[in-house]
Amino acid sequence: DTGVSQNPRHKITKRGQNVTFRCDPISEHNRLYWYRQTLGQGPEFLTYFQNEAQLEKSRLLSDRFSAERPKGSFSTLEIQRTEQGDSAMYLCASSIGGGTGQPQHFGDGTRLSIL
Amino acid sequence: GENVEQHPSTLSVQEGDSAVIKCTYSDSASNYFPWYKQELGKRPQLIIDIRSNVGEKKDQRIAVTLNKTAKHFSLHITETQPEDSAVYFCAAGDNYGQNFVFGPGTRLSVLP
């Protein structure tokens, strides 16, 4: 399967714990995006990488959130000291680069539930 | 930053009728406008996109129109089928993948 892969699919944790999610993009894609989606809402942009460089980060993103893409391939999203409001679906998407808008392909997401 | 609005939030049509969903955006730098379909519990899937150098694009029963002057774009689905029932999201962004914003979604129900 050459699509975007996300792990784990589900994560249940207690408030205050740290969690880390992984995203493996489509292999030739150099752009990688993280989004958060809550029920009944559209995906909300969190951050974006071009290769290993983090080029954009939502100003709504708490400093408890950090993302990395160390070798320009897979990416991790970590949430420290989780709160109830962090419960959501975390989606990863990837696209090829270039000077024109390119379609983003989404993974199945990681559903985070905070107890 | 970019702000994308989408209307209506819910839409019910009879099978075989057409459905139209409209979006507006605020950032004149946006020049890439995709539409995604999301079925319950599944990933968003791209169904059609348009770039600012064209005014209309068609793919079988689906078409998108763009008015850059007015900063709005629309999705048109003709001859709707029950399997078209889903939530549809519009989005806007620039050429370099930045400032990418999704609309709040439209829940389309196609009634048999």
Side-chain angles (χ1 to χ4, degrees):
Chain A
D1 185 343
T2 57
V4 177
S5 175
Q6 291 189 247
N7 287 289
R9 291 293 311 276
H10 303 274
K11 179 71 177 177
I12 301 172
T13 191
K14 291 182 179 179
R15 183 167 52 93
Q17 298 294 305
N18 299 344
V19 294
T20 300
F21 312 140
R22 176 176 170 130
C23 172
D24 288 89
I26 294 171
S27 59
E28 62 267 26
H29 287 185
N30 59 2
R31 291 180 182 170
L32 188 147
Y33 302 78
W34 284 99
Y35 295 89
R36 176 170 58 193
Q37 187 176 29
T38 53
L39 200 61
Q41 301 296 319
E44 175 192 18
F45 170 79
L46 295 178
T47 192
Y48 152 62
F49 291 85
Q50 173 111 351
N51 299 312
E52 66 275 9
Q54 189 173 16
L55 295 187
E56 191 180 1
K57 193 173 172 180
S58 169
R59 57 179 178 273
L60 300 176
L61 201 61
S62 159
D63 58 5
R64 297 183 297 105
F65 287 70
S66 62
E68 293 184 341
R69 196 182 182 198
K71 296 181 181 177
S73 57
F74 74 92
S75 175
T76 57
L77 177 69
E78 181 183 16
I79 309 174
Q80 295 182 324
R81 305 181 304 281
T82 52
E83 301 174 355
Q84 294 280 353
D86 296 333
S87 295
M89 176 71 84
Y90 289 84
L91 293 166
C92 174
S94 70
S95 74
I96 61 174
T100 59
Q102 297 295 338
Q104 295 180 28
H105 299 267
F106 282 84
D108 286 328
T110 294
R111 182 169 296 284
L112 175 64
S113 298
I114 306 297
L115 302 177
Chain B
E2 178 63 275
N3 181 51
V4 176
E5 296 184 354
Q6 184 171 347
H7 300 280
S9 56
T10 59
L11 178 62
S12 293
V13 299
Q14 289 296 132
E15 182 177 359
D17 286 351
S18 295
V20 180
I21 302 170
K22 298 183 179 181
C23 286
T24 60
Y25 63 98
S26 61
D27 190 346
S28 56
S30 291
N31 49 21
Y32 175 62
F33 308 93
W35 286 87
Y36 286 83
K37 174 184 180 182
Q38 188 174 30
E39 296 175 80
L40 192 62
K42 297 194 174 179
R43 67 179 76 180
Q45 294 209 305
L46 180 77
I47 55 171
I48 196 167
D49 57 8
I50 192 167
R51 294 173 178 82
S52 59
N53 56 345
V54 297
E56 185 174 356
K57 185 176 177 181
K58 211 170 181 181
D59 182 3
Q60 299 182 342
R61 296 186 297 109
I62 295 173
V64 56
T65 57
L66 171 64
N67 183 327
K68 276 218 82 177
T69 303
K71 295 196 185 78
H72 64 71
F73 55 113
S74 300
L75 178 72
H76 305 251
I77 306 174
T78 58
E79 300 170 27
T80 53
Q81 301 165 3
E83 51 265 38
D84 294 330
S85 295
V87 179
Y88 290 81
F89 295 101
C90 62
D94 65 25
N95 275 340
Y96 303 99
Q98 296 183 268
N99 302 312
F100 212 79
V101 177
F102 280 78
T106 296
R107 180 172 299 281
L108 173 65
S109 299
V110 179
L111 308 173

